[in-house]
Amino acid sequence: MRNTYLWFIQLITGALIAVLAGIHTVWMHLDAILGFFGVDLKDVTGWHSMIERSREVMWAGIYIALLAVVLYHALNGLRNIILELTPSARTERIVTWSIIVFGIMAFIWSVYVPISLLST
Amino acid sequence: MRQVQPRQNNLGIGGWIWAGNYKLERYLYILHRVTGLGILLFLLIHLTMTTVFRIQGQETWEATMSILHNPWFKFGEYLVVVALIYHALNGLRLILQELGFLMGKPTPPIYPYRDSLRKKRRWTMAMIGIIIILCLVFFYDFISGGW
């Protein structure tokens, strides 16, 4: 039953990523086409532009939400692929806990940076 | 009594790549897995770049960006965008089909067999069409932004 819930969350996070990563990708890469529609992003990867976005709570919120769903979706997907190799119960526990610990550490570190940049 | 031995999966990881006589959807699944692993690798690099290098200040950030504006990195970035587009749209198709949408009605298994996915193949073809259009739109933008 637990795996059913994990899989259901995998579907929900997948749909959320399609929306959030869609916004992120269009904003970061479609500058010429957005410019055609009158949206001037200037130098989107430049330091000043990046710091300006980092000070906005909305962008920090989008990045943190995206980070949470992406980390779950990616690491649970990786776990599913590894478990397809049908390891022993002990190896399965080691894989699961390694992935959980890595995910929590990556989340804490990656959330610390945008929060600390909010006040720059 | 003669015991029937189960057929061993001798293909191993090779079986992830070679789908034999299975149809289009099986190959889309393989590509979904490959793009997923590729995006995971990119995610780790991207997270390192946007945290470790960002927090060190303007000089480090600008030095990193100047490296990433190299044409080879730009090309790699385009491949990541293509993988993202494919993984997102194929993933949405999989979610809809898992929930029972875009599937044909079940019919008795009378030769020639037609599985439920192939009865609604036009939705899969439409998805492939949208993927190609989006890849071309992003390609135009990458080209016009200068390599």
Side-chain angles (χ1 to χ4, degrees):
Chain A
M1 199 64 192
R2 191 189 66 172
N3 281 324
T4 310
Y5 286 121
L6 292 178
W7 179 243
F8 187 61
I9 300 171
Q10 183 82 352
L11 299 188
I12 294 171
T13 51
L16 285 172
I17 293 166
V19 176
L20 293 171
I23 295 172
H24 179 63
T25 312
V26 166
W27 204 258
M28 288 293 149
H29 295 289
L30 277 190
D31 45 341
I33 288 170
L34 286 175
F36 179 76
F37 291 105
V39 182
D40 184 13
L41 297 176
K42 295 172 189 137
D43 181 15
V44 75
T45 54
W47 173 259
H48 296 291
S49 170
M50 184 274 290
I51 282 293
E52 209 173 289
R53 278 198 310 281
S54 299
R55 287 191 190 120
E56 288 181 34
V57 177
M58 185 196 79
W59 276 113
I62 288 179
Y63 286 143
I64 291 170
L66 181 58
L67 179 72
V69 289
V70 157
L71 276 177
Y72 177 86
H73 191 85
L75 295 177
N76 189 50
L78 179 66
R79 177 179 171 272
N80 286 345
I81 292 174
I82 294 171
L83 296 193
E84 250 185 39
L85 299 170
T86 58
S88 66
R90 185 171 171 272
T91 314
E92 185 179 327
R93 271 199 304 279
I94 292 171
V95 168
T96 303
W97 280 105
S98 307
I99 283 177
I100 289 173
V101 169
F102 176 78
I104 290 172
M105 279 167 52
F107 183 74
I108 291 171
W109 166 247
S110 307
V111 161
Y112 163 73
V113 174
I115 287 178
S116 64
L117 285 174
L118 271 175
S119 54
T120 52
Chain B
M1 199 173 104
R2 185 170 164 266
Q3 286 233 316
V4 179
Q5 292 296 321
R7 193 176 163 198
Q8 296 297 312
N9 176 17
N10 293 326
L11 290 175
I13 292 177
W16 293 358
I17 308 294
W18 169 242
N21 281 332
Y22 285 99
K23 303 298 176 193
L24 177 68
E25 282 77 9
R26 180 66 170 77
Y27 284 95
L28 294 180
Y29 159 78
I30 292 171
L31 204 50
H32 195 77
R33 173 165 287 188
V34 171
T35 53
L37 289 172
I39 294 166
L40 172 62
L41 182 66
F42 168 76
L43 175 71
L44 298 177
I45 298 168
H46 190 59
L47 276 182
T48 309
M49 199 193 77
T50 53
T51 55
V52 177
F53 295 139
R54 185 157 70 150
I55 209 158
Q56 287 182 40
Q58 186 171 359
E59 246 176 59
T60 314
W61 177 262
E62 282 172 355
T64 312
M65 284 302 128
S66 67
I67 294 169
L68 295 181
H69 284 138
N70 174 306
W72 287 106
F73 276 108
K74 295 289 273 183
F75 179 67
E77 211 172 88
Y78 177 69
L79 291 184
V80 172
V81 171
V82 169
L84 266 174
I85 292 170
Y86 174 81
H87 198 83
L89 286 176
N90 192 51
L92 288 177
R93 177 184 71 86
L94 291 175
I95 291 174
L96 288 172
Q97 289 183 336
E98 176 138 343
L99 298 176
F101 300 102
L102 313 184
M103 302 276 277
K105 285 182 182 165
T107 46
I110 299 167
Y111 190 82
Y113 311 118
R114 289 183 75 211
D115 58 59
S116 296
L117 284 177
R118 266 182 284 166
K119 286 176 199 155
K120 294 285 181 181
R121 176 61 65 72
R122 64 177 180 276
W123 287 106
T124 308
M125 299 317 284
M127 177 208 72
I128 293 172
I130 295 169
I131 289 170
I132 292 171
I133 291 168
L134 284 176
C135 289
L136 289 174
V137 167
F138 274 90
F139 185 71
Y140 167 75
D141 205 279
F142 270 79
I143 290 284
S144 61
W147 294 83

